[in-house]
Amino acid sequence: MNKYILSCCSTVDLTLEHLIKRNINYISFHFYLDGKEYIDDLGKSLSYQDFYQALANGADTKTSQVNVDEFINYFKTFLDQGLDILHISTSYGISGVYNSAMLAKSILEEEYPNQKINIINSKAASSGYGLLMDKVAVVKDTGLDIDDLTTWVEENKLNLNLWFTSNDLSFY
């Protein structure tokens, strides 16, 4: 049984410290504030306080998903170490990032025919996505191999209830 890593997108709404503690790897989306590009590195290059202050001040914002080449380079860092990959993506209902991951997988399968790259559409976003990833890390810790964990995620990813409230609908 090959060792494998658990991976997600930076849109997971978990802190960097928590991802490190739970041994969850992530690939970074991109965002723009007033035309300047940033990598969503979970507050390292731009603090959350500064980010939210820019939003409150009316900054022009947009996001950009991870492209195929970025996924190829990201996945190779693990494959080159002999590790398989279980990547759980932000919902394809709100982003094309799942398709980018799948295209990268199809390209890399030729170069790494003996390794697994399992990609799952979480059908979740934001805090719900984070709750799912946290639970998947707990289940992984029980010793499931990559295929059994992939099956578990597919069978259980919709068994999640999430409520949220907001006092400002400006960014919805």
Side-chain angles (χ1 to χ4, degrees):
M1 174 174 63
N2 283 350
K3 292 186 177 183
Y4 67 99
I5 61 103
L6 186 56
S7 172
C8 64
C9 301
S10 63
T11 57
V12 73
D13 273 5
L14 294 173
T15 66
L16 178 60
E17 295 78 19
H18 189 80
L19 290 171
I20 291 168
K21 178 181 173 188
R22 295 301 303 132
N23 202 22
I24 302 170
N25 297 276
Y26 70 94
I27 189 165
S28 294
F29 268 59
H30 306 264
F31 65 94
Y32 298 82
L33 285 176
D34 292 328
K36 181 177 178 187
E37 182 178 7
Y38 295 88
I39 294 175
D40 182 9
D41 57 9
L42 306 177
K44 289 191 287 187
S45 58
L46 179 67
S47 74
Y48 290 125
Q49 182 177 352
D50 290 344
F51 173 78
Y52 287 112
Q53 187 61 55
L55 292 180
N57 293 341
D60 182 41
T61 61
K62 67 179 184 174
T63 60
S64 176
Q65 72 183 38
V66 181
N67 66 43
V68 175
D69 287 336
E70 291 171 306
F71 265 112
I72 288 171
N73 292 328
Y74 171 72
F75 287 159
K76 277 186 168 191
T77 62
F78 305 109
L79 296 169
D80 287 342
Q81 298 174 54
L83 298 169
D84 292 336
I85 300 165
L86 173 54
H87 179 78
I88 303 172
S89 176
T90 297
S91 175
Y92 63 43
I94 62 169
S95 173
V97 72
Y98 171 82
N99 294 327
S100 293
M102 290 299 289
L103 286 169
K105 171 186 173 164
S106 68
I107 292 166
L108 291 169
E109 285 176 328
E110 292 180 29
E111 189 175 342
Y112 300 89
N114 298 320
Q115 289 180 259
K116 295 179 182 183
I117 306 170
N118 295 357
I119 312 289
I120 295 175
N121 168 26
S122 69
K123 295 190 177 182
S126 196
S127 298
Y129 183 27
L131 289 171
L132 174 65
M133 289 306 302
D134 200 49
K135 180 63 176 180
V136 172
V138 169
V139 175
K140 181 181 187 283
D141 289 345
T142 67
L144 291 184
D145 67 25
I146 190 170
D147 292 325
D148 289 339
L149 186 57
T150 299
T151 298
W152 185 92
V153 175
E154 289 291 4
E155 290 174 351
N156 290 281
K157 67 185 178 184
L158 299 180
N159 296 334
L160 179 70
N161 293 304
L162 177 70
W163 295 288
F164 75 94
T165 62
S166 178
N167 62 357
D168 182 353
L169 301 178
S170 301
F171 301 104
Y172 295 107

